[in-house]
Amino acid sequence: MFISSKEVEMILDQELSVRLCEWISSYSPVSCKEVFGSENEIRFNIDEAIEFAKIKMHRDSFKREFFPHLVRLKHCKVCDTFNTAHSA
């Protein structure tokens, strides 16, 4: 299940969303795609990101920091919070 950096920004503050997306695209093996027509927006696989963050989380401060946010984002994606918020 892919989630866009714009969706991440809807739930998290801008600074945290930028840090999270940068970490995922630069320092993780998570599948990322650039959004067509937008040079600064990416989409990443939220399921892969959660699985990656679980691995040796106690040794990695970024994984510890980002894991609860990834779970929250996955919950929002599953509950379709983004479409509801966008249409309101």
Side-chain angles (χ1 to χ4, degrees):
M1 177 180 296
F2 280 81
I3 188 169
S4 74
S5 54
K6 294 277 188 201
E7 291 171 321
V8 172
E9 197 172 305
M10 288 172 72
I11 301 300
L12 306 177
D13 67 60
Q14 185 177 10
E15 181 184 335
L16 181 59
S17 67
V18 167
R19 288 179 49 236
L20 173 65
C21 292
E22 182 179 289
W23 175 73
I24 286 177
S25 63
S26 301
Y27 301 105
S28 78
V30 174
S31 299
C32 293
K33 301 176 181 179
E34 286 187 29
V35 174
F36 182 73
S38 178
E39 62 188 52
N40 294 330
E41 188 176 356
I42 63 162
R43 296 177 64 79
F44 64 90
N45 188 311
I46 188 73
D47 299 311
E48 287 180 10
I50 289 171
E51 289 303 312
F52 175 69
K54 283 186 202 176
I55 300 168
K56 298 182 182 175
M57 186 184 343
H58 61 282
R59 295 185 191 172
D60 187 322
S61 63
F62 287 107
K63 290 180 179 182
R64 273 194 314 275
E65 176 187 3
F66 293 141
F67 181 76
H69 299 298
L70 292 168
V71 171
R72 180 176 172 207
L73 291 165
K74 169 71 180 210
H75 175 76
C76 290
K77 190 72 172 175
V78 168
C79 293
D80 203 24
T81 303
F82 301 110
N83 288 334
T84 305
H86 193 280
S87 64

